[in-house]
Amino acid sequence: MTKRLLEVEDLRITLQAGSGTITPVDGVNLALGRGEALGIAGESGSGKSLTLKSIIGLLPQGAQVEGNLRFALGDESPIPYTSTDVHGRGISIIFQEPMTALNPTMRVGDLIAEGPRIHEGLSKTAARERAVELMRQVGIPAPERRAKMWPHQLSGGLRQRVMIATALSTRPKLLLCDEPTTALDVSIQDQILGLLQEIRINLGMSIIFVSHDLAVLGELCDRLAIMYAGQIVETGPTDDVFTKPNHPYTEALMTSVPSFDATSVKLAGIEGHPPDPRSFPPGCRFSPRCRYAREDCTEADFELVATDADRSSACIHTEVFAEGGR
Amino acid sequence: MGRFGFVARRLLQTIPMLFGIVLVVFLVLQITPGDPARQIAGLRASEADLEEVRQELGLNDPIIAQYGRYVGNVLQGDLGYSYKSRKPVADIIGDRISVTVWLLSTGVLMTLLISVPLGVIAALRKDRMADHAIRGFGLLGLSMPAFWTGVILLLLVALPTGWFPAGGFGDTFGEKLRAIFLPALTLAIGSSPFIIRGLRAAMISVMESDYISTARSIGVAGGRLVRRFVLRNAAGPGVTLVAIEIGYLLFGAVVIETTFALPGVGQGLVIAAQGRDLPSVQGYTLLFALVVVAVYLLSDIVTAILDPRVEIDT
Ligand SMILES: Nc1ncnc2c1ncn2[C@@H]1O[C@H](COP(=O)(O)OP(=O)(O)OP(=O)(O)O)[C@@H](O)[C@H]1O
Ligand code: SF4
Ligand SMILES: [Mg+2]
C-alpha cells in the first residue's frame, strides 16, 4: 500500500437522541493511502455522514467520540489531530445540499476568498483574484461576474461547483465528499463527478466519497468500504468487490437498484429496513435481512477479518458465501 | 425591480391596512354605548340643545357619510375635539408624544444594549453556566410586572440616591434624560428576556446549519465566524423580533407612564379612558395602531435589505 494519509481506528460516536443515547457509528476502522480515493457505501442512516463529520471534526454539539483518528499533515506518518489542526488546512468537505451549505448572505466570491484571506494572509483584492481563479478551475463560466452573485442566484450545479472551489481554496490533502451529486439533476451529476475525477488527478488529492450509489463509487474510487448499521462490513479494491463481494450485504447492495428518488436514498431490492440505531440486532447486525443467516450469526461478535491480502469482511460465513451457497 | 420593488410593493400593501384601521377605530366610537351629544352638552341639556349639538357634529347624517368625513379629517390631521378640554385631539396628542418617543427610543436602546450581548453569549455558551445564568435572570425579569419593577426602582434607586425624579418630565436635555432613565430601564427589564430568548434561538438555529459547518471546515473561527456568518444571518429574525417587541412596548408605556407620572400618550390614553373622552381615546388608538403598522413596515424593509434572497421570494 502507498504511504498512509488517514487512519480511523475503532471509531465510536455516541449522541443524545430523545431521552436516551444512540451509537450510530460503532467501531469503524478505515485506512486511506495518499492520493487514494475511497468510497463508502451504505443505506440511509448507516452512519456515513457522521463518520465523515468526525474525521473533519464537525460533529454536532454533545456528540461523544471514542477511538483514534490519525492524519498526516506533513510528510511524516499519520498522527493524532484535533479539528483545528485540519480546518482550513489538511481536510475539506463537500456536502450533499449546496444550497444549505453556502452562506446565503455572502457573495460566493467572498466565501471562496475566506480561506486564502485567513490562511495565506492575502489582501482583499488578491484573495478575490484567487477566488475567481478557483472558480475558473472548477469550470464556472464568467467567474468574474459570478463571484459577485449570491448563492440563490446560481443553479444547483454551479452552487456545487462553488462549494468545490471553497473546499479547494484551502489546498487540502484530503477531500471528503458527502453525496455531492445526490441533490443534483442526473445530467449535472455526471459533470460534477467528472470534475471531481479531474481535480483528483490534477491535484493528486485523496478523496473519501460517500454515496448510496455503488455505480457512482465504481467510477471514481480505488477502494470501497461497505457500511451497515454503524460498522464497516467489507473493504477491498473496487474491482474485486464488484466482481466477487465478500459480504452478503454487499451482494444485496449490488443486485439492488437504487431508487430514482434522489431525496430518499433507500435501496430497492433489499428486504426489510436498515436497523434503527436505538435497537441494533445482536450479533451480526445484518442477520435479520441476510439470506445466508444461520443460528450462530446472532451470537457472533462483530469483527472485520482479512479475507485476502487487501480485503476484509465481517461475515463469519464467508466460506459458505464464497461457494455461492444459496 | 429587485429590492426597490419589494419596498414599493410593501408600502402599497400598507394603504388598505391603514383604511381598515381607521374604519375599526371609527366603528369603535359608533358602537360604544352613550350619547356623544349628551356628553358634550351635559346632563342638564334639553332635548333641543342635544339636537343642536347633533346637527353641529353631523351625528344625524348616514353612517357612511360620517365615516367619509372622519377619513377626510384624519387625512388632514384633524382627529376631532376632546369632550373634556374642547381642545383639538391632535394638539393634545402632539403635546404628549415627545415624552413617549423619548421613553420608547431610550427603552429600545437599553433593551438592545442588554439583550444583544446576552443573547449572543447565551447562544455561544449554550447549555453551559452562562446560558443558565442568563435564562435565570430572564425568568426573574419576566416574572415582575412593569408597575412592580417601576415601584421597586423608585423605592430602591430614585428615593435613596435622589439622582432621578420620582415623576414628571424635564425641560433641559439632562433633565429629560434623568426623568426617562428609570422608566426606560423598567421597559428594558420587561422586554429584554423576550429578545434574549429569541436572539438565542435564532443564533442557535443558524449555528446548526450546514453553511456554518462549511465555514468552520475552511478554518473560519471565533469572532470572524460570529460576525460574518452567524450574526449576519440571525439579524433578520432579530429585527422582526424587536419590531414585535416594540408593539408590546407601546402597551408597556401605558403602565410605565402612569407609574412614573410621565405626561406621555400612554398616560393620556388612561386619562381619556377614565373620563370617557371618546374622541381622545379614538385618537390615541389610531396613533398606537399607526405606530405598530409603521414599525412592522420598517422591520420588513430592514429585513429585506439584510437578506439578499428577498427579491426572489416575492
Ligand atoms: N445530530 C444528531 N442527533 C441525533 N441523531 C443523529 C444526529 N445525526 C445523525 N443522527 C442519527 O445517526 C444515524 C446515522 O446518521 P448519518 O447522517 O451518519 O447517516 P448516513 O449514513 O449519512 O445517512 P444518509 O444516507 O441518509 O445521509 C441516523 O440514524 C441518524 O438519525
Ligand atoms: S454473519 Fe451471518 S447473518 Fe451476518 S452476513 Fe454473514 S451470513 Fe449473513
Ligand atoms: Mg448522510
Side-chain angles (χ1 to χ4, degrees):
Chain A
M1 198 185 205
T2 47
K3 269 177 82 181
R4 287 275 176 85
L5 182 68
L6 174 79
E7 290 166 355
V8 176
E9 228 174 63
D10 209 15
L11 176 68
R12 202 163 258 113
I13 302 172
T14 308
L15 292 171
Q16 287 291 332
S19 51
T21 60
I22 52 172
T23 308
V25 173
D26 194 5
V28 161
N29 291 285
L30 288 173
L32 182 74
R34 288 171 195 263
E36 195 173 54
L38 171 73
I40 303 181
E43 282 167 292
S44 189
S46 53
K48 307 180 297 291
S49 295
L50 287 175
T51 302
L52 285 195
K53 284 182 182 160
S54 69
I55 291 173
I56 195 171
L58 286 176
L59 284 175
Q61 237 193 17
Q64 296 200 22
V65 188
E66 287 166 63
N68 298 310
L69 292 167
R70 289 185 291 269
F71 182 74
L73 271 161
D75 290 328
E76 75 291 355
S77 312
I79 50 166
Y81 63 95
T82 63
S83 56
T84 39
D85 292 334
V86 292
H87 283 173
R89 274 182 279 266
I91 309 181
S92 283
I93 186 162
I94 302 169
F95 295 107
Q96 171 172 339
E97 207 14 281
M99 187 64 226
T100 59
L102 299 176
N103 183 356
T105 58
M106 190 176 251
R107 292 175 199 276
V108 296
D110 292 343
L111 175 65
I112 303 171
E114 280 289 284
R117 282 189 68 183
I118 300 171
H119 303 291
E120 297 173 34
L122 293 190
S123 71
K124 237 182 177 156
T125 17
R128 202 167 281 160
E129 274 166 30
R130 173 128 165 78
V132 169
E133 181 193 314
L134 278 159
M135 288 173 78
R136 188 172 293 121
Q137 200 178 335
V138 298
I140 297 178
E144 286 91 355
R145 189 166 61 80
R146 291 221 162 75
K148 298 192 189 85
M149 288 188 167
W150 305 102
H152 74 261
Q153 294 173 316
L154 301 176
S155 67
L158 284 181
R159 272 181 217 144
Q160 196 58 296
R161 285 177 196 266
V162 167
M163 187 65 227
I164 295 172
T166 308
L168 296 182
S169 71
T170 57
R171 308 178 196 273
K173 294 175 133 178
L174 171 59
L175 184 62
L176 307 176
C177 305
D178 192 354
E179 312 207 30
T181 59
T182 312
L184 304 175
D185 289 347
V186 181
S187 57
I188 312 284
Q189 288 187 9
D190 287 343
Q191 293 177 17
I192 297 292
L193 287 179
L195 171 67
L196 288 170
Q197 182 77 287
E198 186 190 312
I199 287 168
R200 190 197 150 201
I201 293 165
N202 292 347
L203 304 178
M205 211 180 309
S206 306
I207 286 186
I208 300 183
F209 198 107
V210 157
S211 179
H212 61 278
D213 187 346
L214 275 175
V216 165
L217 297 181
E219 272 180 53
L220 210 70
C221 301
D222 311 313
R223 292 176 60 80
L224 289 183
I226 311 296
M227 195 159 183
Y228 187 81
Q231 298 167 333
I232 304 287
V233 294
E234 163 158 22
T235 64
T238 306
D239 294 342
D240 298 358
V241 174
F242 270 41
T243 37
K244 187 177 140 318
N246 265 350
H247 194 283
Y249 178 60
T250 315
E251 186 196 54
L253 265 187
M254 282 169 42
T255 49
S256 71
V257 189
S259 78
F260 284 99
D261 179 4
T263 50
S264 91
V265 286
K266 280 198 194 96
L267 294 152
I270 308 183
E271 297 277 309
H273 294 283
D276 187 321
R278 278 169 299 191
S279 55
F280 282 136
C284 171
R285 291 179 180 176
F286 187 55
S287 54
R289 299 165 79 190
C290 179
R291 50 199 290 213
Y292 309 105
R294 304 191 170 185
E295 260 173 38
D296 54 350
C297 292
T298 51
E299 290 151 22
D301 279 335
F302 171 81
E303 202 182 349
L304 195 59
V305 182
T307 52
D308 286 290
D310 54 358
R311 298 190 63 178
S312 55
S313 167
C315 178
I316 57 168
H317 289 300
T318 39
E319 74 297 338
V320 181
F321 178 61
E323 286 151 20
R326 42 198 82 177
Chain B
M1 282 294 270
R3 282 186 232 180
F4 175 75
F6 170 81
V7 171
R9 207 161 27 235
R10 192 62 187 75
L11 274 170
L12 287 177
Q13 282 168 1
T14 312
I15 291 174
M17 203 182 337
L18 293 179
F19 275 98
I21 288 168
V22 174
L23 178 64
V24 169
V25 171
F26 172 76
L27 286 179
V28 165
L29 185 68
Q30 298 301 314
I31 59 172
T32 311
D35 183 356
R38 173 71 70 189
Q39 290 251 342
I40 293 173
L43 282 175
R44 310 173 74 183
S46 69
E47 193 51 43
D49 293 339
L50 292 181
E51 192 51 35
E52 195 180 326
V53 172
R54 285 194 194 108
Q55 282 295 339
E56 198 183 314
L57 293 178
L59 293 177
N60 291 332
D61 297 348
I63 198 156
I64 300 287
Q66 291 190 45
Y67 174 61
R69 199 164 50 230
Y70 181 66
V71 171
N73 289 342
V74 166
L75 286 178
Q76 292 169 37
D78 176 2
L79 300 176
Y81 289 83
S82 160
Y83 288 168
K84 291 284 168 244
S85 65
R86 303 288 155 87
K87 286 202 291 187
V89 170
D91 291 357
I92 299 177
I93 293 180
D95 288 343
R96 290 179 168 273
I97 200 152
S98 82
V99 176
T100 305
V101 169
W102 265 87
L103 174 62
L104 285 185
S105 47
T106 317
V108 169
L109 192 72
M110 282 187 179
T111 303
L112 292 179
L113 285 177
I114 296 173
S115 357
V116 173
L118 290 186
V120 170
I121 291 171
L124 295 179
R125 302 251 162 250
K126 181 183 164 220
D127 293 333
R128 294 201 236 155
M129 265 301 287
D131 184 24
H132 294 310
I134 289 168
R135 189 167 336 170
F137 282 117
L139 274 179
L140 199 66
L142 278 183
S143 61
M144 297 202 298
F147 72 86
W148 177 244
T149 313
V151 168
I152 298 254
L153 288 177
L154 279 174
L155 288 178
L156 296 185
V157 182
L159 295 182
T161 63
W163 293 339
F164 307 101
F169 202 46
D171 295 318
T172 67
F173 183 81
E175 276 173 20
K176 286 178 180 170
L177 206 58
R178 249 189 297 159
I180 226 70
F181 185 82
L182 290 182
L185 186 61
T186 308
L187 266 190
I189 289 174
S191 58
S192 294
F194 287 105
I195 307 282
I196 292 173
R197 191 197 296 167
L199 200 61
R200 174 183 180 274
M203 279 193 55
I204 287 173
S205 106
V206 167
M207 286 191 297
E208 282 169 357
S209 52
D210 279 356
Y211 55 83
I212 297 301
S213 289
T214 302
R216 288 173 57 207
S217 77
I218 56 170
V220 186
R224 191 180 181 98
L225 184 71
V226 172
R227 268 194 330 276
R228 287 172 67 85
F229 287 80
V230 182
L231 280 185
R232 182 72 207 276
N233 286 292
V239 168
T240 309
L241 212 66
V242 172
I244 293 171
E245 190 56 35
I246 290 177
Y248 287 116
L249 284 185
L250 274 179
F251 300 95
V254 174
V255 176
I256 288 168
E257 287 177 0
T258 309
T259 309
F260 286 90
L262 281 172
V265 290
Q267 189 198 51
L269 174 63
V270 172
I271 293 172
Q274 281 168 347
R276 297 186 57 75
D277 183 357
L278 285 175
S280 300
V281 172
Q282 210 175 22
Y284 286 120
T285 313
L286 193 60
L287 173 77
F288 279 32
L290 290 183
V291 171
V292 170
V293 169
V295 167
Y296 281 17
L297 178 68
L298 202 67
S299 103
D300 273 9
I301 292 174
V302 171
T303 316
I305 291 170
L306 287 174
D307 188 343
R309 284 164 300 186
V310 161
E311 54 187 333
I312 52 160
D313 288 351
T314 52

